[in-house]
Amino acid sequence: MSQIHPTALISPSATIDETATIGPYCIVGDEVSIGAHTVLHRHVVVTRLTRIGAYNQFYQFASVGEDPQDLKYAGERTWLEIGDHNTIREACSLHRGTEQDGSLTKIGSHNLLMVNTHVAHDCSIGDHNVLANNVGVAGHVTIGNHIIVGGNSGIHQFCTIDDYSLVGGATLILKDVAAFTMVSGNPARAHGLNIEGMRRKGWSKETIDILRQAYKVIFRTGLTTVQALEILKQDLLPQEPKIEFLIDSLQKSRRGVVR
């Protein structure tokens, strides 16, 4: 049987795995599913229409699956999905999607959301990310994989932060962040590549050197995006497959990239 504290309030329509733990004064609402070995420590509210995977940890006063803060929202059935092995620290707020954008907010696996992180409606967050204390993620934002966002940073709606990038503390993101780049400031500016992150992942010096060349082509030569893409595809991609991440960042950007 699930370990459910007697002070917890559980909706009859909730589905809780027998290995999950629901701590004191937690509330689990309608049509919520909670996977194996997930723990709601205490005073956690999972409002409704939320699917949570396995081996997650939720700390006190987290608000999970609440209605979106969008004036267009009129009570439609929308969802929040959370993967596996995530740590959601104190006072985080994770909101469901809106009907206007797929009806879904989605958070992947192996993420750490530190104290008071807010993930708004219709966001998509990948895997292996760290969002530090007081990060505010506005609606319709896409965050890729292996990304660190420093504390007290704000991300404007509809922005994309691509894989392996690093956002410094107290940064205001108004445009898209290209893969591998390190940005900071208000508003954000690019300050090079996330070299330390690459080294921690064991990437070779040759790979890092080619990515440095690609960064210079995009950010330091004054070329247009079309011209930079041509050089990346013809000269650098044949040498290093990871250049594809940068090409993808430039090609799909709707707001322009932080430079």
Side-chain angles (χ1 to χ4, degrees), residues 89-93 113-119 132-136 152:
R89 293 304 305 250
E90 301 91 319
C92 288
S93 54
L113 275 57
M114 295 187 189
V115 172
N116 204 40
T117 294
H118 173 63
V119 177
N133 299 334
N134 304 308
V135 167
N152 299 298

Side-chain angles (χ1 to χ4, degrees), residues 122-140:
D122 304 294
C123 288
S124 175
I125 296 177
D127 305 327
H128 298 282
N129 300 301
V130 177
L131 276 60
N133 299 334
N134 304 308
V135 167
V137 184
H140 314 281

Side-chain angles (χ1 to χ4, degrees), residues 197-209:
M198 297 175 187
R199 289 172 177 159
R200 289 178 181 176
K201 290 174 175 58
W203 294 6
S204 69
K205 181 179 183 301
E206 292 73 20
T207 291
I208 294 173
D209 285 346

